[in-house]
Amino acid sequence: MIGFIGGTGPEGRSLARRFALSGQKVIVGSRSKARADAAVAKIVERAPSSLVTAALNAEAAQMGEVVFVVVPYTAQRSILEPLANQLAGKIVVNAVAPVTVSGGMASAVEIPEGSAALQAQSILPRSEVVAAFHTISANDLWRTEDPIESDVVVCANDRDARDTVFGLVESIPRLRAIDGGGLENATYVERFTALLLNINRRYKAHSAIRIVGI
Ligand SMILES: NC(=O)c1ccc[n+]([C@@H]2O[C@H](COP(=O)([O-])OP(=O)(O)OC[C@H]3O[C@@H](n4cnc5c(N)ncnc54)[C@H](OP(=O)(O)O)[C@@H]3O)[C@@H](O)[C@H]2O)c1
């Protein structure tokens, strides 16, 4: 079972749909059961309904064996602090890209811990935080009828946790997981999303990354 904290937003909903389409059970968490129900109704328009459940965030954290954090950076601390017990001993996949947009230009937010992923790890010392999926647009993930060709850089301190997240990345057709090293490298991937957003604006596109030469 894959849990989603903040699974009602575009990123969580789209990942949940992709994982359900690959045959995995997902539990979509929200602060409101009604919003979780509404998100699940959209997800199952194109995914098996038997694999998708709606829940409050605490239940998604409790039930998920691997749990995604897909909330805005500004909400991360207040959402995660009360969930530390439910998330203890689990892999927590952090896709949070701390970016602000001003005057149409995206820029990275400075974070005392160095990155959103390192901040999550400091809030959840008994969990194994893995940073991944920052550079995949929710729009591209949602359109399951179109191929999505990209690499996903995965930053993790623990080898087993990294391998688990590699498996999740590659359960989505045509995505390739790339080992980005330890969690301290998450800052580079998080920051890169600001650049991608600015590229998207210039090209009126949904850009993604592909690493070559490896
Ligand atoms: N959108 C993308 O293309 C994309 C791509 C890569 C990474 N990301 C990252 O993934 C995360 C989620 O992105 P998103 O576009 O899905 O974000 P979002 O729609 O702004 O937020 C996702 C969910 O988080 C919850 N939330 C919002 N504000 C909150 C608050 N103040 N306190 C607690 N919960 C709050 C909401 O769920 P409830 O109201 O149901 O609780 C919301 O549906 C972000 O950190 C983003 O940087 C996004």
Side-chain angles (χ1 to χ4, degrees):
M1 178 85 87
I2 304 167
F4 287 87
I5 296 169
T8 54
E11 187 71 0
R13 231 173 32 211
S14 306
L15 284 168
R17 177 188 263 181
R18 289 277 180 172
F19 292 139
L21 279 172
S22 72
Q24 302 172 90
K25 286 188 179 169
V26 299
I27 180 162
V28 177
S30 168
R31 291 168 294 175
S32 141
K33 180 66 167 43
R35 281 199 295 277
D37 285 334
V40 164
K42 283 192 177 179
I43 291 166
V44 301
E45 285 169 8
R46 285 232 186 134
S49 57
S50 60
L51 298 178
V52 189
T53 310
L56 292 174
N57 283 323
E59 192 188 350
Q62 182 73 44
M63 299 290 290
E65 287 140 337
V66 174
V67 180
F68 278 70
V69 179
V70 273
V71 296
Y73 166 66
T74 47
Q76 171 167 276
R77 181 175 288 284
S78 63
I79 280 280
L80 289 185
E81 276 176 348
L83 299 176
N85 284 337
Q86 287 95 327
L87 294 171
K90 296 184 180 180
I91 297 169
V92 173
V93 184
N94 193 288
V96 173
V99 167
T100 52
V101 179
S102 172
M105 286 293 290
S107 53
V109 173
E110 294 302 329
I111 298 177
E113 294 84 352
S115 65
L118 285 172
Q119 181 188 83
Q121 185 66 79
S122 74
I123 298 168
L124 307 171
R126 292 172 289 148
S127 306
E128 198 60 58
V129 175
V130 176
F133 289 101
H134 309 83
T135 54
I136 302 287
S137 119
N139 286 327
D140 291 345
L141 283 166
W142 186 248
R143 286 197 316 277
T144 48
E145 64 279 19
D146 294 334
I148 173 168
E149 304 237 16
S150 183
D151 289 341
V152 173
V153 177
V154 178
C155 299
N157 289 337
D158 178 80
R159 179 178 297 206
D160 290 341
R162 183 199 63 202
D163 290 349
T164 297
V165 178
F166 263 49
L168 290 177
V169 170
E170 295 188 350
S171 71
I172 298 175
R174 302 202 197 180
L175 285 191
R176 180 178 65 160
I178 298 287
D179 184 357
L183 203 60
E184 72 273 15
N185 288 337
T187 184
Y188 307 117
V189 190
E190 291 176 13
R191 287 169 168 273
F192 201 79
T193 57
L195 179 62
L196 285 182
L197 290 171
N198 291 328
I199 290 171
N200 289 348
R201 183 161 179 265
R202 287 189 179 272
Y203 285 81
K204 300 192 187 335
H206 294 155
S207 57
I209 61 163
R210 190 60 112 184
I211 308 290
V212 298
I214 53 173

